[in-house]
């Protein structure tokens, strides 16, 4: 009982999904005496469900996060795990399968409403007792409820997109991860720059054109509906590995992962065109302007955001309904490179 209470305190003491994952698999592995416990991500890509591990613990080993740097690989098709696929299709609470050696695998999808994007996988060398199932069920319930609370705190209440605070956290993590991969030029060495055909990380700032006019003419209820529809178009236009945030008001930010310059342009342009082609109820046509920039671990977040804002301001002041890349504007002599543009107004 003391061990269970200790794990419950540990789980509910975190304000981060990563540490919550580590806590839950550590608790389940110890209390169920499992040989392996994993947290799996259930990602839907083009209507198909893929399974990808994100945290794992094995007996006599420390819990750890699984490397997910290969964002182009969504994982294994759920069909490779028939019992799990059937469990998800039937909206069941769990599935228990034994192999030829009588080693049991228990899958427990974490349902939030009618959707499950996380699953616990517990591997045990012997069948699970009723007591073990009862303990695991309690842990999973706490994990599900706390994950739901964390998710709620990370999202914008109107659009359901990730919020500004979550953006700050994720950009910091992205920069920290990039620091390990990006070569640093030491004093006396020639400067090294990434070529644009190499895979990079990108930050795009999106602003709804003439949004004040929408609110003034049609009212704030229709303005809110425009923001919700823009959020939906952002979600559908960008890829599963990209992260979309509502930054505030009519401004949104996207973190594009592992995309070349050409791919980043195509993805952002696709979104811009999807918005321009969409018919917004009562309002009619709405457009967006976008400024984007590559992310470098050698630059501070405020500088990266400032560069994207400068590119966005250029788009807003040169006709709107445009996608502008900061470095191209600077190299073409269309924009002066300055550290930030915090005072720019976009409408």
């Amino acid at each position: 009982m003391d061990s269970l209470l200790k794990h419950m305190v540990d789980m509910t003491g975190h304000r981060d999904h990563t540490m919550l994952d580590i806590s839950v698999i550590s608790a389940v592995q110890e209390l169920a005496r499992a040989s392996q416990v994993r947290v799996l991500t259930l990602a839907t890509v083009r209507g198909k469900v893929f399974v990808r591990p994100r945290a794992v613990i094995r007996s006599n080993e420390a819990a750890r996060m699984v490397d997910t740097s290969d964002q182009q690989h969504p994982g294994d098709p759920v069909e490779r795990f028939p019992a799990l696929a059937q469990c998800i299709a039937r909206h069941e609470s769990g599935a228990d399968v034994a192999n030829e050696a009588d080693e049991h695998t228990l899958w427990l999808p974490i349902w939030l409403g009618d959707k499950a994007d996380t699953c616990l996988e517990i591997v045990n060398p012997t069948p699970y007792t009723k007591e073990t199932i009862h303990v695991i069920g309690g842990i999973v319930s706490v994990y599900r409820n706390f994950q739901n609370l964390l998710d709620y705190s990370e999202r914008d209440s109107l659009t359901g997109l990730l919020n500004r605070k979550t953006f700050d956290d994720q950009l910091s993590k992205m920069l920290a991860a990039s620091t390990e991969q990006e070569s640093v030029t030491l004093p006396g060495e020639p400067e090294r720059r990434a070529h644009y055909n190499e895979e990079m990380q990108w930050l795009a700032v999106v602003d709804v054109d003439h949004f004040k006019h929408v609110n003034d003419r049609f009212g704030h209820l229709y303005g809110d509906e425009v923001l919700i529809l823009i959020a939906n178009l952002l979600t559908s236009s960008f890829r599963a590995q990209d992260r979309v945030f509502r930054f505030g008001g009519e401004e949104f930010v996207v973190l594009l992962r592992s995309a070349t310059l050409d791919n980043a342009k195509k993805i952002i342009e696709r979104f811009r065109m999807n918005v321009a082609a969409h018919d917004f109820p009562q309002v009619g046509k709405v457009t967006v302007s976008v400024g984007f920039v590559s992310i470098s671990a050698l630059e501070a977040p405020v500088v990266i955001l400032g560069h994207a804002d400068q590119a966005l301001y250029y788009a807003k002041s040169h006709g709107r309904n445009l996608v502008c890349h900061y470095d191209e504007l600077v190299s073409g002599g269309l924009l002066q490179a300055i550290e930030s543009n915090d005072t720019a107004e976009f409408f």
Side-chain angles (χ1 to χ4, degrees):
M1 180 61 71
D2 289 344
S3 180
L4 177 60
L5 289 175
K6 176 182 177 296
H7 282 298
M8 292 299 101
V9 171
D10 186 45
M11 285 176 58
T12 56
H14 296 300
R15 297 296 182 269
D16 178 82
H17 280 290
T18 297
M19 295 309 300
L20 181 60
D21 286 347
I22 292 293
S23 294
V24 71
I25 61 176
S26 298
V28 170
Q29 191 279 324
E30 179 183 336
L31 297 172
R33 295 180 175 85
S35 59
Q36 176 178 283
V37 182
R38 297 194 299 176
V39 177
L40 308 175
T41 295
L42 304 176
T44 302
V45 181
R46 299 187 184 95
K48 295 183 179 181
V49 179
F50 292 85
V51 179
R52 184 174 188 172
R54 70 172 187 250
V56 61
I57 186 172
R58 299 182 179 90
S59 56
N60 301 319
E61 294 183 12
R64 61 180 177 84
M65 300 304 294
V66 177
D67 181 20
T68 57
S69 58
D70 182 9
Q71 297 292 338
Q72 301 298 328
H73 181 56
D76 297 316
V78 73
E79 289 78 16
R80 290 190 58 182
F81 313 96
L84 175 58
Q86 186 178 72
C87 175
I88 295 171
R90 294 180 177 179
H91 209 289
E92 295 174 340
S93 60
D96 184 0
V97 175
N99 60 19
E100 295 178 354
D102 203 31
E103 182 181 61
H104 285 251
T105 299
L106 178 63
W107 284 296
L108 298 171
I110 308 301
W111 293 103
L112 300 176
D114 61 351
K115 182 181 179 182
D117 56 17
T118 298
C119 179
L120 289 184
E121 177 196 73
I122 307 164
V123 180
N124 213 45
T126 59
Y128 300 96
T129 65
K130 289 184 179 180
E131 291 78 9
T132 299
I133 293 293
H134 180 71
V135 171
I136 292 174
I139 294 172
V140 168
S141 294
V142 173
Y143 174 67
R144 179 185 62 244
N145 292 342
F146 206 67
Q147 188 182 61
N148 197 14
L149 285 173
L150 283 180
D151 191 63
Y152 180 79
S153 70
E154 292 178 348
R155 293 193 176 272
D156 171 60
S157 58
L158 176 65
T159 63
L161 296 179
L162 297 170
N163 58 26
R164 170 68 184 267
K165 178 183 181 301
T166 311
F167 164 79
D168 293 337
D169 294 341
Q170 293 204 11
L171 179 59
S172 295
K173 289 179 180 178
M174 180 180 286
L175 290 173
S178 297
T179 301
E180 300 177 0
Q181 301 174 7
E182 188 167 319
S183 58
V184 178
T185 302
L186 298 176
E189 290 184 347
E191 183 178 4
R192 289 174 284 185
R193 287 184 174 272
H195 196 271
Y196 283 149
N197 63 2
E198 297 176 356
E199 289 194 340
M200 302 174 68
Q201 315 282 9
W202 306 88
L203 183 149
V205 179
V206 177
D207 190 82
V208 182
D209 295 329
H210 299 297
F211 185 71
K212 186 176 184 297
H213 174 71
V214 172
N215 277 334
D216 290 345
R217 181 177 178 184
F218 301 100
H220 288 278
L221 287 178
Y222 280 105
D224 286 349
E225 185 173 3
V226 166
L227 294 177
I228 293 170
L229 292 173
I230 292 287
N232 293 340
L233 289 168
L234 278 162
T235 302
S236 62
S237 299
F238 287 91
R239 307 160 303 171
Q241 66 263 33
D242 301 324
R243 294 291 178 266
V244 183
F245 308 82
R246 186 186 179 194
F247 215 55
E250 68 274 25
E251 193 170 72
F252 303 85
V253 174
V254 184
L255 294 178
L256 288 80
R257 305 186 175 200
S258 299
T260 63
L261 173 60
D262 287 342
N263 284 340
K265 276 184 179 179
K266 290 177 182 177
I267 295 166
I268 298 171
E269 277 288 355
R270 178 179 63 196
F271 161 68
R272 182 195 64 77
M273 290 187 292
N274 286 345
V275 173
H278 190 80
D279 288 319
F280 292 80
Q282 184 68 25
V283 176
K285 293 296 183 181
V286 174
T287 62
V288 294
S289 298
V290 186
F292 75 104
V293 66
S294 61
I295 295 175
S296 169
L298 304 180
E299 292 179 321
V302 66
V303 174
I304 297 170
L305 270 171
H307 289 169
D309 276 345
Q310 290 173 55
L312 172 63
Y313 183 66
Y314 184 91
K316 300 287 283 187
S317 59
H318 287 78
R320 294 180 167 84
N321 193 24
L322 295 173
V323 173
C324 292
H325 176 219
Y326 172 81
D327 288 331
E328 286 187 341
L329 293 175
V330 172
S331 63
L334 301 174
L335 190 67
Q336 181 180 358
I338 57 177
E339 288 303 308
S340 65
N341 193 24
D342 297 333
T343 60
E345 294 290 340
F346 298 137
F347 55 87

